[in-house]
Amino acid sequence: MKASSPIRGLTTRSPRRLLALLATISALLVPAAVAWACTPQATVGADKLSYGPGEQMKVEGRDFRSNATITIASDPPGLSATTTSTSAGTFSVQLEAPDEPGLYVLLATSSEGFGPALARTTFQVSAPPPAPPQVSAPPPAPPRCAIGKLGTGGADTISGTNAGDRIFAFAGNDVVKALAADDCLHGGSGGDRLAGSAGHDSVFAQSGDDRASGGDGNDRVFGGSGNDRVRGGAGRDVVAGGSGRDVLTADSGDDQLYGDSGADRIYAGTGSNRIDAGTGNDYVSARNGSIDTINCGVGRDTARVDRIDRVAGCERVIRG
């Protein structure tokens, strides 16, 4: 009895035919298997490692089948697209990063050709930076001379506020002291002491032998009638003595000083000042190293000045 073979028409007694058939099958299968094994592995990558939510990202792949449909997705979900590879097996697409922060796996697959092509990489979506804290706008500056304060007919002591004050001391020997902001001080009759502070103040001493000062800021200080001592303080000030034998002091800043009538003494301070001594036998001291402009006015006046100062109307000029 003859033994049968699993291949029809062959028996164990025909080994040459069996070997020839196996050789034919190997010739067909081995080249395809070798070609598949030697094909480069497909790869995919992104242009950055980390993105912000919704940021544009560039995804590129290579070594896919030519003209194949490429499906792009992410794990966890949040990214999906479809594109076609070139004849060289490459692709490049622009996508939007997912909105949710986290670590994602990017997958690119193609099922065309001899077996599926799969490539993967990872990317990060970072949480957006926290919003900067809200900074409230600074409060508006208080209005000028808006808050009224009144003295009496006697000797008053009045203090201002940090807002813009308007203070009337009226009669009597009063003491008035402003605080911050732009203030207006009115002394009234009597020997008053009026002091501005930080801010652009207006100080009116009025009648009596007064002491008036502007403090810091660009101030206007007026002595009025009487023998007054008037001081501008720091800043670009306007200082006027009024009638009487007044003492005017400019301090720092480029100031204007007006002696008006009476025998006045005027001290220029450290800035470049304009001085008009007015009528009377006045004394002007402007030896400060800055260029001052001085008009001594009517009277027998003396001016002690720098060589660089401009002087007019002074009967006696002492340059140093």
Side-chain angles (χ1 to χ4, degrees), residues 266-295:
I266 301 174
Y267 299 91
T270 59
S272 295
N273 306 287
R274 298 182 64 89
I275 299 173
D276 189 333
T279 61
N281 300 330
D282 306 306
Y283 173 82
V284 177
S285 175
R287 193 173 291 178
N288 55 7
S290 300
I291 300 176
D292 303 302
T293 301
I294 302 159
N295 182 2

PDB file of all heavy atoms in Angstrom, residues 266-295:
ATOM      1  N   ILE A 266      15.776 141.087  50.128  1.00  0.00           N
ATOM      2  CA  ILE A 266      15.396 139.980  49.247  1.00  0.00           C
ATOM      3  C   ILE A 266      16.599 139.050  49.088  1.00  0.00           C
ATOM      4  O   ILE A 266      17.700 139.499  48.723  1.00  0.00           O
ATOM      5  CB  ILE A 266      14.937 140.512  47.867  1.00  0.00           C
ATOM      6  CG1 ILE A 266      13.752 141.462  48.043  1.00  0.00           C
ATOM      7  CG2 ILE A 266      14.576 139.351  46.948  1.00  0.00           C
ATOM      8  CD1 ILE A 266      13.318 142.145  46.767  1.00  0.00           C
ATOM      9  N   TYR A 267      16.358 137.752  49.335  1.00  0.00           N
ATOM     10  CA  TYR A 267      17.404 136.739  49.260  1.00  0.00           C
ATOM     11  C   TYR A 267      17.022 135.725  48.166  1.00  0.00           C
ATOM     12  O   TYR A 267      15.948 135.108  48.226  1.00  0.00           O
ATOM     13  CB  TYR A 267      17.582 136.046  50.607  1.00  0.00           C
ATOM     14  CG  TYR A 267      17.994 137.015  51.697  1.00  0.00           C
ATOM     15  CD1 TYR A 267      17.038 137.671  52.479  1.00  0.00           C
ATOM     16  CD2 TYR A 267      19.332 137.286  51.913  1.00  0.00           C
ATOM     17  CE1 TYR A 267      17.420 138.574  53.461  1.00  0.00           C
ATOM     18  CE2 TYR A 267      19.724 138.192  52.901  1.00  0.00           C
ATOM     19  CZ  TYR A 267      18.758 138.826  53.670  1.00  0.00           C
ATOM     20  OH  TYR A 267      19.134 139.730  54.634  1.00  0.00           O
ATOM     21  N   ALA A 268      17.941 135.544  47.218  1.00  0.00           N
ATOM     22  CA  ALA A 268      17.584 134.837  45.993  1.00  0.00           C
ATOM     23  C   ALA A 268      17.490 133.320  46.141  1.00  0.00           C
ATOM     24  O   ALA A 268      16.771 132.683  45.389  1.00  0.00           O
ATOM     25  CB  ALA A 268      18.594 135.167  44.899  1.00  0.00           C
ATOM     26  N   GLY A 269      18.169 132.707  47.045  1.00  0.00           N
ATOM     27  CA  GLY A 269      18.152 131.249  47.096  1.00  0.00           C
ATOM     28  C   GLY A 269      19.104 130.647  46.086  1.00  0.00           C
ATOM     29  O   GLY A 269      20.012 131.307  45.578  1.00  0.00           O
ATOM     30  N   THR A 270      18.916 129.351  45.728  1.00  0.00           N
ATOM     31  CA  THR A 270      19.899 128.633  44.921  1.00  0.00           C
ATOM     32  C   THR A 270      19.559 128.534  43.443  1.00  0.00           C
ATOM     33  O   THR A 270      20.376 128.066  42.664  1.00  0.00           O
ATOM     34  CB  THR A 270      20.077 127.201  45.466  1.00  0.00           C
ATOM     35  OG1 THR A 270      18.810 126.533  45.430  1.00  0.00           O
ATOM     36  CG2 THR A 270      20.590 127.232  46.897  1.00  0.00           C
ATOM     37  N   GLY A 271      18.361 128.933  43.031  1.00  0.00           N
ATOM     38  CA  GLY A 271      17.970 128.790  41.634  1.00  0.00           C
ATOM     39  C   GLY A 271      18.326 130.010  40.813  1.00  0.00           C
ATOM     40  O   GLY A 271      19.008 130.935  41.262  1.00  0.00           O
ATOM     41  N   SER A 272      17.859 130.007  39.563  1.00  0.00           N
ATOM     42  CA  SER A 272      17.989 131.177  38.687  1.00  0.00           C
ATOM     43  C   SER A 272      16.713 131.992  38.846  1.00  0.00           C
ATOM     44  O   SER A 272      15.646 131.589  38.363  1.00  0.00           O
ATOM     45  CB  SER A 272      18.196 130.744  37.235  1.00  0.00           C
ATOM     46  OG  SER A 272      19.435 130.063  37.093  1.00  0.00           O
ATOM     47  N   ASN A 273      16.810 133.136  39.471  1.00  0.00           N
ATOM     48  CA  ASN A 273      15.638 133.885  39.911  1.00  0.00           C
ATOM     49  C   ASN A 273      15.457 135.188  39.133  1.00  0.00           C
ATOM     50  O   ASN A 273      16.407 135.756  38.601  1.00  0.00           O
ATOM     51  CB  ASN A 273      15.765 134.212  41.410  1.00  0.00           C
ATOM     52  CG  ASN A 273      16.020 132.961  42.237  1.00  0.00           C
ATOM     53  OD1 ASN A 273      15.147 132.153  42.433  1.00  0.00           O
ATOM     54  ND2 ASN A 273      17.255 132.814  42.706  1.00  0.00           N
ATOM     55  N   ARG A 274      14.203 135.650  39.122  1.00  0.00           N
ATOM     56  CA  ARG A 274      13.868 136.975  38.604  1.00  0.00           C
ATOM     57  C   ARG A 274      13.409 137.813  39.802  1.00  0.00           C
ATOM     58  O   ARG A 274      12.433 137.453  40.472  1.00  0.00           O
ATOM     59  CB  ARG A 274      12.767 136.898  37.555  1.00  0.00           C
ATOM     60  CG  ARG A 274      13.150 136.092  36.331  1.00  0.00           C
ATOM     61  CD  ARG A 274      12.033 136.103  35.296  1.00  0.00           C
ATOM     62  NE  ARG A 274      11.827 137.457  34.805  1.00  0.00           N
ATOM     63  CZ  ARG A 274      12.468 137.997  33.770  1.00  0.00           C
ATOM     64  NH1 ARG A 274      13.387 137.279  33.131  1.00  0.00           N
ATOM     65  NH2 ARG A 274      12.209 139.230  33.363  1.00  0.00           N
ATOM     66  N   ILE A 275      14.090 138.935  40.021  1.00  0.00           N
ATOM     67  CA  ILE A 275      13.844 139.756  41.210  1.00  0.00           C
ATOM     68  C   ILE A 275      13.484 141.170  40.780  1.00  0.00           C
ATOM     69  O   ILE A 275      14.215 141.798  39.991  1.00  0.00           O
ATOM     70  CB  ILE A 275      15.085 139.781  42.127  1.00  0.00           C
ATOM     71  CG1 ILE A 275      15.416 138.354  42.605  1.00  0.00           C
ATOM     72  CG2 ILE A 275      14.860 140.708  43.309  1.00  0.00           C
ATOM     73  CD1 ILE A 275      16.711 138.255  43.374  1.00  0.00           C
ATOM     74  N   ASP A 276      12.362 141.650  41.289  1.00  0.00           N
ATOM     75  CA  ASP A 276      11.956 143.045  41.115  1.00  0.00           C
ATOM     76  C   ASP A 276      11.748 143.617  42.518  1.00  0.00           C
ATOM     77  O   ASP A 276      10.774 143.286  43.194  1.00  0.00           O
ATOM     78  CB  ASP A 276      10.676 143.122  40.288  1.00  0.00           C
ATOM     79  CG  ASP A 276      10.328 144.548  39.877  1.00  0.00           C
ATOM     80  OD1 ASP A 276      10.729 145.482  40.605  1.00  0.00           O
ATOM     81  OD2 ASP A 276       9.656 144.733  38.851  1.00  0.00           O
ATOM     82  N   ALA A 277      12.685 144.433  42.944  1.00  0.00           N
ATOM     83  CA  ALA A 277      12.641 144.916  44.326  1.00  0.00           C
ATOM     84  C   ALA A 277      11.533 145.932  44.567  1.00  0.00           C
ATOM     85  O   ALA A 277      11.107 146.130  45.708  1.00  0.00           O
ATOM     86  CB  ALA A 277      13.989 145.518  44.694  1.00  0.00           C
ATOM     87  N   GLY A 278      11.049 146.600  43.537  1.00  0.00           N
ATOM     88  CA  GLY A 278       9.987 147.590  43.702  1.00  0.00           C
ATOM     89  C   GLY A 278      10.515 148.903  44.251  1.00  0.00           C
ATOM     90  O   GLY A 278      11.722 149.187  44.245  1.00  0.00           O
ATOM     91  N   THR A 279       9.588 149.740  44.756  1.00  0.00           N
ATOM     92  CA  THR A 279       9.983 151.046  45.299  1.00  0.00           C
ATOM     93  C   THR A 279      10.510 150.895  46.723  1.00  0.00           C
ATOM     94  O   THR A 279      10.117 149.988  47.451  1.00  0.00           O
ATOM     95  CB  THR A 279       8.778 151.990  45.291  1.00  0.00           C
ATOM     96  OG1 THR A 279       7.745 151.451  46.116  1.00  0.00           O
ATOM     97  CG2 THR A 279       8.248 152.183  43.881  1.00  0.00           C
ATOM     98  N   GLY A 280      11.397 151.816  47.102  1.00  0.00           N
ATOM     99  CA  GLY A 280      11.997 151.782  48.433  1.00  0.00           C
ATOM    100  C   GLY A 280      13.475 151.503  48.351  1.00  0.00           C
ATOM    101  O   GLY A 280      14.020 151.123  47.302  1.00  0.00           O
ATOM    102  N   ASN A 281      14.137 151.758  49.476  1.00  0.00           N
ATOM    103  CA  ASN A 281      15.580 151.507  49.554  1.00  0.00           C
ATOM    104  C   ASN A 281      15.800 150.030  49.906  1.00  0.00           C
ATOM    105  O   ASN A 281      15.784 149.633  51.072  1.00  0.00           O
ATOM    106  CB  ASN A 281      16.207 152.423  50.599  1.00  0.00           C
ATOM    107  CG  ASN A 281      15.991 153.893  50.269  1.00  0.00           C
ATOM    108  OD1 ASN A 281      15.889 154.275  49.101  1.00  0.00           O
ATOM    109  ND2 ASN A 281      15.923 154.724  51.303  1.00  0.00           N
ATOM    110  N   ASP A 282      16.006 149.233  48.897  1.00  0.00           N
ATOM    111  CA  ASP A 282      16.013 147.772  49.052  1.00  0.00           C
ATOM    112  C   ASP A 282      17.428 147.206  49.059  1.00  0.00           C
ATOM    113  O   ASP A 282      18.373 147.788  48.518  1.00  0.00           O
ATOM    114  CB  ASP A 282      15.212 147.123  47.908  1.00  0.00           C
ATOM    115  CG  ASP A 282      13.807 147.681  47.800  1.00  0.00           C
ATOM    116  OD1 ASP A 282      13.094 147.657  48.814  1.00  0.00           O
ATOM    117  OD2 ASP A 282      13.425 148.135  46.694  1.00  0.00           O
ATOM    118  N   TYR A 283      17.526 145.990  49.637  1.00  0.00           N
ATOM    119  CA  TYR A 283      18.780 145.241  49.636  1.00  0.00           C
ATOM    120  C   TYR A 283      18.499 143.882  48.982  1.00  0.00           C
ATOM    121  O   TYR A 283      17.574 143.156  49.388  1.00  0.00           O
ATOM    122  CB  TYR A 283      19.304 145.041  51.054  1.00  0.00           C
ATOM    123  CG  TYR A 283      20.508 144.123  51.132  1.00  0.00           C
ATOM    124  CD1 TYR A 283      21.785 144.592  50.863  1.00  0.00           C
ATOM    125  CD2 TYR A 283      20.355 142.778  51.475  1.00  0.00           C
ATOM    126  CE1 TYR A 283      22.888 143.754  50.917  1.00  0.00           C
ATOM    127  CE2 TYR A 283      21.457 141.939  51.544  1.00  0.00           C
ATOM    128  CZ  TYR A 283      22.714 142.430  51.261  1.00  0.00           C
ATOM    129  OH  TYR A 283      23.792 141.587  51.320  1.00  0.00           O
ATOM    130  N   VAL A 284      19.302 143.542  47.985  1.00  0.00           N
ATOM    131  CA  VAL A 284      19.130 142.283  47.253  1.00  0.00           C
ATOM    132  C   VAL A 284      20.403 141.462  47.385  1.00  0.00           C
ATOM    133  O   VAL A 284      21.505 141.962  47.070  1.00  0.00           O
ATOM    134  CB  VAL A 284      18.809 142.533  45.764  1.00  0.00           C
ATOM    135  CG1 VAL A 284      18.705 141.202  45.017  1.00  0.00           C
ATOM    136  CG2 VAL A 284      17.541 143.336  45.618  1.00  0.00           C
ATOM    137  N   SER A 285      20.265 140.209  47.832  1.00  0.00           N
ATOM    138  CA  SER A 285      21.396 139.285  47.912  1.00  0.00           C
ATOM    139  C   SER A 285      21.144 138.139  46.933  1.00  0.00           C
ATOM    140  O   SER A 285      20.230 137.330  47.118  1.00  0.00           O
ATOM    141  CB  SER A 285      21.548 138.739  49.333  1.00  0.00           C
ATOM    142  OG  SER A 285      22.576 137.765  49.374  1.00  0.00           O
ATOM    143  N   ALA A 286      21.964 138.084  45.883  1.00  0.00           N
ATOM    144  CA  ALA A 286      21.776 137.057  44.850  1.00  0.00           C
ATOM    145  C   ALA A 286      23.090 136.374  44.507  1.00  0.00           C
ATOM    146  O   ALA A 286      23.264 135.882  43.391  1.00  0.00           O
ATOM    147  CB  ALA A 286      21.164 137.685  43.599  1.00  0.00           C
ATOM    148  N   ARG A 287      24.009 136.334  45.430  1.00  0.00           N
ATOM    149  CA  ARG A 287      25.301 135.692  45.176  1.00  0.00           C
ATOM    150  C   ARG A 287      25.129 134.195  45.442  1.00  0.00           C
ATOM    151  O   ARG A 287      25.415 133.690  46.532  1.00  0.00           O
ATOM    152  CB  ARG A 287      26.378 136.311  46.051  1.00  0.00           C
ATOM    153  CG  ARG A 287      27.792 135.920  45.632  1.00  0.00           C
ATOM    154  CD  ARG A 287      28.833 136.671  46.415  1.00  0.00           C
ATOM    155  NE  ARG A 287      28.859 138.091  46.065  1.00  0.00           N
ATOM    156  CZ  ARG A 287      29.650 138.991  46.635  1.00  0.00           C
ATOM    157  NH1 ARG A 287      30.469 138.623  47.610  1.00  0.00           N
ATOM    158  NH2 ARG A 287      29.619 140.246  46.256  1.00  0.00           N
ATOM    159  N   ASN A 288      24.652 133.460  44.442  1.00  0.00           N
ATOM    160  CA  ASN A 288      24.303 132.050  44.611  1.00  0.00           C
ATOM    161  C   ASN A 288      24.915 131.128  43.555  1.00  0.00           C
ATOM    162  O   ASN A 288      24.626 129.932  43.522  1.00  0.00           O
ATOM    163  CB  ASN A 288      22.780 131.880  44.589  1.00  0.00           C
ATOM    164  CG  ASN A 288      22.160 132.465  43.324  1.00  0.00           C
ATOM    165  OD1 ASN A 288      22.877 132.874  42.409  1.00  0.00           O
ATOM    166  ND2 ASN A 288      20.843 132.521  43.285  1.00  0.00           N
ATOM    167  N   GLY A 289      25.724 131.675  42.630  1.00  0.00           N
ATOM    168  CA  GLY A 289      26.329 130.848  41.585  1.00  0.00           C
ATOM    169  C   GLY A 289      25.433 130.588  40.406  1.00  0.00           C
ATOM    170  O   GLY A 289      25.851 129.927  39.449  1.00  0.00           O
ATOM    171  N   SER A 290      24.207 131.088  40.416  1.00  0.00           N
ATOM    172  CA  SER A 290      23.275 130.931  39.298  1.00  0.00           C
ATOM    173  C   SER A 290      23.079 132.275  38.607  1.00  0.00           C
ATOM    174  O   SER A 290      23.387 133.340  39.170  1.00  0.00           O
ATOM    175  CB  SER A 290      21.932 130.397  39.787  1.00  0.00           C
ATOM    176  OG  SER A 290      22.076 129.138  40.410  1.00  0.00           O
ATOM    177  N   ILE A 291      22.545 132.235  37.402  1.00  0.00           N
ATOM    178  CA  ILE A 291      22.309 133.465  36.652  1.00  0.00           C
ATOM    179  C   ILE A 291      20.960 134.039  37.065  1.00  0.00           C
ATOM    180  O   ILE A 291      19.906 133.457  36.783  1.00  0.00           O
ATOM    181  CB  ILE A 291      22.337 133.203  35.136  1.00  0.00           C
ATOM    182  CG1 ILE A 291      23.700 132.629  34.720  1.00  0.00           C
ATOM    183  CG2 ILE A 291      22.044 134.474  34.370  1.00  0.00           C
ATOM    184  CD1 ILE A 291      23.779 132.257  33.258  1.00  0.00           C
ATOM    185  N   ASP A 292      20.975 135.177  37.739  1.00  0.00           N
ATOM    186  CA  ASP A 292      19.763 135.848  38.189  1.00  0.00           C
ATOM    187  C   ASP A 292      19.565 137.135  37.397  1.00  0.00           C
ATOM    188  O   ASP A 292      20.520 137.754  36.914  1.00  0.00           O
ATOM    189  CB  ASP A 292      19.865 136.180  39.681  1.00  0.00           C
ATOM    190  CG  ASP A 292      20.109 134.937  40.521  1.00  0.00           C
ATOM    191  OD1 ASP A 292      19.284 134.016  40.462  1.00  0.00           O
ATOM    192  OD2 ASP A 292      21.135 134.892  41.234  1.00  0.00           O
ATOM    193  N   THR A 293      18.299 137.520  37.279  1.00  0.00           N
ATOM    194  CA  THR A 293      17.942 138.794  36.630  1.00  0.00           C
ATOM    195  C   THR A 293      17.337 139.700  37.684  1.00  0.00           C
ATOM    196  O   THR A 293      16.316 139.348  38.300  1.00  0.00           O
ATOM    197  CB  THR A 293      16.950 138.556  35.482  1.00  0.00           C
ATOM    198  OG1 THR A 293      17.549 137.666  34.523  1.00  0.00           O
ATOM    199  CG2 THR A 293      16.607 139.867  34.806  1.00  0.00           C
ATOM    200  N   ILE A 294      17.937 140.874  37.885  1.00  0.00           N
ATOM    201  CA  ILE A 294      17.585 141.724  39.024  1.00  0.00           C
ATOM    202  C   ILE A 294      17.269 143.132  38.535  1.00  0.00           C
ATOM    203  O   ILE A 294      18.068 143.739  37.794  1.00  0.00           O
ATOM    204  CB  ILE A 294      18.738 141.776  40.045  1.00  0.00           C
ATOM    205  CG1 ILE A 294      19.061 140.355  40.529  1.00  0.00           C
ATOM    206  CG2 ILE A 294      18.402 142.688  41.210  1.00  0.00           C
ATOM    207  CD1 ILE A 294      20.428 140.199  41.111  1.00  0.00           C
ATOM    208  N   ASN A 295      16.125 143.624  38.957  1.00  0.00           N
ATOM    209  CA  ASN A 295      15.750 145.016  38.738  1.00  0.00           C
ATOM    210  C   ASN A 295      15.466 145.626  40.110  1.00  0.00           C
ATOM    211  O   ASN A 295      14.495 145.257  40.765  1.00  0.00           O
ATOM    212  CB  ASN A 295      14.535 145.117  37.826  1.00  0.00           C
ATOM    213  CG  ASN A 295      14.142 146.546  37.520  1.00  0.00           C
ATOM    214  OD1 ASN A 295      14.805 147.491  37.956  1.00  0.00           O
ATOM    215  ND2 ASN A 295      13.062 146.719  36.771  1.00  0.00           N
TER     216      ASN A 295
END
